Amino acid sequence: MVENKTYIQSFCTIQNNEIILEGASIFKLEPTLFSDFSKKAYQNFEMNYPKFFKMDSLSKLAFLGAELLLKNENSESKENNTALLFANNSSSLDTDVKYQNSISDPENYFPSPAVFVYTLPNICLGEISIRHQLKSENSFFIFETFNPVFMANYAKILLNSNKAEKVLCGWVEYYDEEYKAFLYLVAKEGNLEHKIETLLTEYNK
Amino acid sequence: MEALKQELKEKIIDVLNLEDIKLEEINDNDALFGDGLGLDSIDALELIVMLDKDYGIKLVDPKEGKVIFKSIETMAAYIKENRAK
Amino acid sequence: MQKEVFITETNCITPIGFDVATNIQNIVGSVSGIQWHQNTDLMKMPFYASIINDEALNSAFAKISTAEKYTRLEKMMILALQPIVEKSKLDERTGFILSTTKGNITALENPSSDNFQQAHLGHLAKNVADFFGFATEPIVVSNACVSGILAVSIAKRLIQGEMFDNVFIIAGDEVSEFVLSGFNSFQAMSDSPCRPYSKNRNGVTLGEATAAVLVSSDKENAKIKVIGDGSINDANHISGPSRTGEGLFRSIESALAEAKINANQIDYISAHGTATPFNDEMEAIAFNRLGLENVPVNSLKGFYGHTLGASGLLETVIGIESVLESKLFVSLGFDEMGVSQPINIIEKNENKNMNYFLKTASGFGGCNTAVLFEKGR
């Protein structure tokens, strides 16, 4: 395969009650629960998308990151072929545990469809696709830790095989109030070269 | 009946996570689905669970939900008639 | 020019057979794995499901290992991989993809920190990988019900992208209280063995299985060539498919464009056919939009139930045999046409020479995958 250079057009990190966009802190709260933090971030950036409140924590986390990186990408006139390539460690375990609790007591057995639907990690890709009308390639992977080698390779394959014009990559880990999101948009043009070292440096900041 | 309607509005906002909607914004005869509150198919299923959990009503045919969940008014009437708790 | 990629080995562990030949024999004889179960550990009410017999599983596993640490699903996965891995050398150029929706989710039934670890999909992948000694980090795909077939697309892309020369894929899921109760809460469970595309279909029957394949750039033992793929989201709803089949339509279009063939060259479609009212209708619409209404199509859910993350790969394994043996298999459970657009359901086993075979799947989250295969000459 011909190796064309690819570039990181934008990136953001969400962790410890703080959102960092292109290296600069743009929103920060004193320590609080994720439900509170995510709601205030949503309000702060005037996202105006009531479905947000129906999402589980993993989807909220992924949604917030995608919102910041894709808000300038949406266009009425042209379809946006941005693929979604996401991964994490805990899959949807936070919601899995919540759902399991709803069926573990025979005296109080009320499985919730609205919880069950989030017991799949790729639901967050569906949420982002709906919000930004991305009828595009999407896939969700599980790794021990952020795997920049795989992510970079797969993103390049999607771009070089013309399966996508851009790729929104994301590490979105959430389990029981512990969370970290690192999202970045990869394309064939840009200033910051899409390199494994760069990804690692920005991820670890 | 008024108390039941009030209770249903609170429950719907809570169970369906309608954070942006205030109690007084829901009228008794507003459509819950479609153009009204904009609830969707998962919400309908969740309301079926709520009927079972909070009022002891088991819907055998989910299609019944269409009529029952038309508005707060129709829901309250159905619950009053059929509740087991 | 993209590198050519082939499937060279296949295997599967299902309620109707622990190897491909036995599965085919049973399919030819219209033997289904779906049975009536009364097991209150799984569900209060009796239900239909396609479940692997524990004794058969344990005795098969005992022939390859005496280790007792493996979960039921891990045994099913190891058994599926074992005969095809033992022929190969596992080096840095050999990848390993595991695809599943819920993995060892049953570990959550008895909360403890060990069990919690076990419920991690990475832990499952490591256990299976370590049994064989893979030299590369496992790649876990968890993309709802397209996971199994999406893994084939990913393996092909990783080989074309020069990351690997060979990729082993294992896909598997288990019937559990977790999944049964969830589908039931969605009012999506059929009260009889599922009837894909039929007028009176009323939902899924769940099943369990594992399937394994070797995807390779080496043509030597090729069973079939992977010639195009697409995996495109509906961007419509997280639990219901698009009414217009948009994502599936585009996924197939993308696969066709890459393969540089026309829709009218496709000889056979192994579709998703879960037997929910919306899914089957959506597929019929998408196939019609592409002019595929006359292509013979089946759903294998009548034999296996919906095996979730395993289904796409299991049905590919069976589809490959269809092509190699020039036999179209009946879409079991079908009676009267129950979709609004015409499609050509295979109503009885018949012979047909095939060159091009399309596998599709769709799932929660709005995901769809289509992969096109070409028979080797």
Side-chain angles (χ1 to χ4, degrees):
Chain A
M1 181 178 280
V2 188
E3 240 333 90
N4 295 315
K5 273 192 180 174
T6 53
Y7 299 87
I8 301 168
Q9 291 196 329
S10 56
F11 56 97
C12 75
T13 305
I14 306 175
Q15 63 183 343
N16 304 325
N17 308 295
E18 186 177 15
I19 301 179
I20 299 163
L21 184 64
E22 328 291 3
S25 177
I26 56 167
F27 183 75
K28 189 172 174 20
L29 289 184
E30 291 302 307
T32 179
L33 291 175
F34 180 75
S35 56
D36 180 51
F37 168 75
S38 57
K39 181 177 174 176
K40 293 199 167 118
Y42 164 92
Q43 288 166 338
N44 180 69
F45 296 104
E46 297 174 350
M47 291 177 181
N48 192 23
Y49 191 71
K51 270 194 217 159
F52 179 79
F53 297 109
K54 294 178 177 279
M55 297 177 195
D56 75 340
S57 300
L58 177 64
S59 283
K60 281 180 179 165
L61 181 64
F63 182 92
L64 286 174
E67 204 64 12
L68 297 170
L69 299 190
L70 296 180
K71 68 176 172 216
N72 300 323
E73 299 287 319
N74 297 346
S75 145
E76 292 285 317
S77 55
K78 194 174 160 288
E79 281 212 359
N80 180 350
N81 188 6
T82 299
L84 301 178
L85 167 56
F86 278 52
N88 75 4
N89 170 293
S90 296
S91 179
S92 54
L93 264 174
D94 187 71
T95 302
D96 293 355
V97 169
K98 193 173 162 195
Y99 181 79
Q100 183 70 42
N101 290 339
S102 79
I103 59 170
S104 54
D105 176 5
E107 298 305 310
N108 196 20
Y109 177 91
F110 294 105
S112 156
V115 177
F116 181 69
V117 71
Y118 287 100
T119 63
L120 293 164
N122 64 300
I123 296 297
C124 69
L125 305 181
E127 296 284 15
I128 295 168
S129 299
I130 295 166
R131 165 66 159 177
H132 299 280
Q133 278 305 296
L134 300 176
K135 293 181 181 111
S136 61
E137 286 278 337
N138 68 156
S139 42
F140 203 103
F141 296 90
I142 313 292
F143 291 106
E144 279 299 307
T145 53
F146 175 57
N147 185 337
V149 176
F150 177 84
M151 296 292 277
N153 270 310
Y154 201 69
K156 282 179 191 173
I157 291 166
L158 287 170
L159 292 172
N160 291 335
S161 60
N162 295 316
K163 290 285 180 188
E165 282 163 25
K166 294 185 182 185
V167 184
L168 178 65
C169 302
W171 175 261
V172 285
E173 169 64 15
Y174 186 97
Y175 185 76
D176 193 20
E177 297 294 329
E178 296 280 327
Y179 59 91
K180 174 162 184 158
F182 173 58
L183 281 76
Y184 54 99
L185 189 62
V186 181
K188 288 179 181 172
E189 300 99 42
N191 299 316
L192 180 61
E193 204 186 324
H194 176 219
K195 289 196 299 199
I196 288 155
E197 306 83 77
T198 315
L199 293 175
L200 262 182
T201 311
E202 291 305 328
Y203 173 82
N204 286 318
K205 266 185 188 167
Chain B
M1 191 72 172
E2 283 312 309
L4 177 59
K5 287 187 211 166
Q6 197 69 9
E7 176 184 300
L8 279 175
K9 290 177 192 175
E10 282 168 25
K11 276 187 200 285
I12 285 177
I13 289 175
D14 178 44
V15 171
L16 305 183
N17 296 307
L18 307 176
E19 293 238 2
D20 281 7
I21 291 170
K22 294 194 182 64
L23 206 69
E24 53 276 17
E25 289 172 0
I26 310 178
N27 296 311
D28 293 354
N29 289 305
D30 281 356
L32 296 178
F33 290 83
D35 289 341
L37 272 189
L39 303 185
D40 75 356
S41 54
I42 303 179
D43 296 318
L45 294 166
E46 207 56 37
L47 290 179
I48 293 176
V49 177
M50 186 187 92
L51 281 190
D52 183 8
K53 192 173 179 176
D54 295 345
Y55 303 102
I57 302 172
K58 285 194 197 301
L59 287 197
V60 199
D61 180 3
K63 287 191 196 96
E64 286 180 89
K66 273 213 163 125
V67 187
I68 302 164
F69 304 139
K70 211 169 154 246
S71 65
I72 292 291
E73 188 74 43
T74 57
M75 263 184 94
Y78 184 82
I79 290 170
K80 190 163 173 264
E81 199 67 20
N82 296 284
R83 65 190 301 169
K85 63 180 175 191
Chain C
M1 185 65 192
Q2 291 277 27
K3 216 178 218 179
E4 292 187 314
V5 177
F6 308 91
I7 290 182
T8 58
E9 300 278 355
T10 61
N11 194 25
C12 58
I13 302 292
T14 83
I16 56 169
F18 284 8
D19 57 40
V20 175
T22 313
N23 273 273
I24 296 300
Q25 223 170 46
N26 278 317
I27 287 175
V28 168
S30 288
V31 175
S32 171
I34 297 175
Q35 289 183 324
W36 177 247
H37 291 270
Q38 285 178 295
N39 178 346
T40 50
D41 285 344
L42 285 173
M43 196 150 82
K44 267 193 277 186
M45 321 259 272
F47 57 96
Y48 281 98
S50 173
I51 295 180
I52 291 175
N53 178 281
D54 277 342
E55 267 172 49
L57 177 66
N58 289 331
S59 84
F61 192 74
K63 289 185 191 135
I64 60 166
S65 168
T66 53
E68 287 177 2
K69 63 173 181 172
Y70 294 106
T71 65
R72 217 172 149 262
L73 180 64
E74 286 162 3
K75 288 177 191 170
M76 285 159 60
M77 289 183 158
I78 290 168
L79 276 170
L81 276 168
Q82 200 262 342
I84 69 175
V85 173
E86 71 179 357
K87 303 177 193 166
S88 312
K89 73 173 198 303
L90 305 178
D91 55 19
E92 288 295 327
R93 300 295 298 166
T94 304
F96 174 51
I97 298 180
L98 183 146
S99 74
T100 184
T101 64
K102 296 314 308 163
N104 284 320
I105 193 69
T106 54
L108 291 184
E109 288 167 11
N110 301 302
S112 76
S113 61
D114 277 359
N115 285 349
F116 178 65
Q117 271 316 308
Q118 208 169 59
H120 281 78
L121 302 184
H123 190 268
L124 164 68
K126 191 172 183 308
N127 277 353
V128 177
D130 288 352
F131 182 92
F132 297 105
F134 281 97
T136 53
E137 185 186 351
I139 295 163
V140 178
V141 183
S142 189
N143 217 77
C145 300
V146 309
S147 301
I149 184 62
L150 178 58
V152 174
S153 156
I154 291 163
K156 162 186 162 280
R157 291 171 182 181
L158 295 178
I159 290 170
Q160 291 180 332
E162 308 282 353
M163 256 185 101
F164 301 111
D165 299 323
N166 297 295
V167 178
F168 284 92
I169 306 175
I170 181 75
D173 264 304
E174 212 182 345
V175 170
S176 61
E177 184 191 20
F178 190 102
V179 173
L180 284 164
S181 64
F183 274 84
N184 203 34
S185 79
F186 260 85
Q187 317 262 357
M189 294 268 283
S190 177
D191 54 11
S192 59
C194 65
R195 288 166 289 181
Y197 309 109
S198 297
K199 196 172 170 191
N200 296 315
R201 70 184 184 278
N202 66 350
V204 301
T205 299
L206 289 169
E208 61 187 11
T210 54
V213 302
L214 173 57
V215 184
S216 174
S217 59
D218 183 359
K219 195 175 182 173
E220 191 169 320
N221 296 308
K223 286 180 184 288
I224 208 156
K225 188 171 156 188
V226 189
I227 55 170
D229 49 44
S231 188
I232 293 176
N233 199 288
D234 285 333
N236 178 62
H237 194 270
I238 54 169
S239 67
S242 153
R243 297 290 170 106
T244 59
E246 190 62 28
L248 180 58
F249 171 81
R250 290 186 188 217
S251 298
I252 299 171
E253 252 193 343
S254 169
L256 285 167
E258 182 184 351
K260 298 191 178 66
I261 65 164
N262 297 317
N264 62 17
Q265 290 174 269
I266 296 173
D267 296 302
Y268 160 55
I269 306 170
S270 173
H272 194 46
T274 59
T276 66
F278 288 130
N279 173 78
D280 294 8
E281 175 68 14
M282 176 282 283
E283 289 184 87
I285 291 169
F287 293 153
N288 268 266
R289 287 178 64 191
L290 286 148
L292 294 170
E293 61 271 20
N294 295 320
V295 181
V297 57
N298 65 6
S299 158
L300 294 169
K301 302 290 190 292
F303 291 99
Y304 296 114
H306 190 352
T307 56
L308 308 178
S311 64
L313 194 64
L314 171 62
E315 290 153 13
T316 298
V317 167
I318 303 301
I320 290 171
E321 294 306 306
S322 266
V323 173
L324 295 180
E325 297 181 19
S326 302
K327 275 184 191 142
L328 292 172
F329 298 129
V330 62
S331 193
L332 196 67
F334 178 75
D335 41 46
E336 198 180 337
M337 184 59 83
V339 288
S340 71
Q341 305 291 310
I343 48 172
N344 182 12
I345 305 284
I346 304 167
E347 296 196 53
K348 58 176 192 341
N349 297 336
E350 54 191 292
N351 296 327
K352 181 185 175 174
N353 276 321
M354 290 172 258
N355 286 320
Y356 295 105
F357 150 48
L358 170 67
K359 174 69 203 131
T360 67
S362 303
F364 272 4
C367 53
N368 302 274
T369 298
V371 178
L372 272 168
F373 300 92
E374 182 183 9
K375 185 153 103 180
R377 277 169 232 273

